[in-house]
Amino acid sequence: IQMFAQLVADEAAGLYGQQAWPEERARIHGLVFIAGLAELVGAWLNGALETTREELVDATEGLFVAVTRRDG
């Protein structure tokens, strides 16, 4: 999870530049995002969450942007 959290932080910096969160904050946000994503996908796979694949991808894309980019 730590490795993927760092990947989220690195990708955010590459995608959003100055609009990305600073490194340490980005790692925290990345950790929360990846841990939550793992739980979300697990729930979807075991049938505890009824949604389509497309809705799942749409929601997680929006969450990635929300946790990785600062407004303004």
Side-chain angles (χ1 to χ4, degrees):
I1 288 179
Q2 293 288 331
M3 182 181 71
F4 284 118
Q6 186 61 54
L7 179 62
V8 167
D10 294 344
E11 287 299 311
L15 287 169
Y16 303 122
Q18 293 296 320
Q19 285 187 297
W21 288 99
E23 176 69 21
E24 283 306 308
R25 175 68 74 87
R27 289 186 68 232
I28 292 168
H29 288 197
L31 184 58
V32 170
F33 177 75
I34 291 300
L37 181 62
E39 185 65 24
L40 178 67
V41 171
W44 180 68
L45 288 172
N46 73 25
L49 177 65
E50 293 186 26
T51 190
T52 67
R53 181 181 305 196
E54 292 78 17
E55 290 171 329
L56 190 67
V57 169
D58 236 18
T60 56
E61 176 187 14
L63 291 170
F64 174 82
V65 172
V67 301
T68 58
R69 185 181 71 186
R70 295 183 286 175
D71 289 333

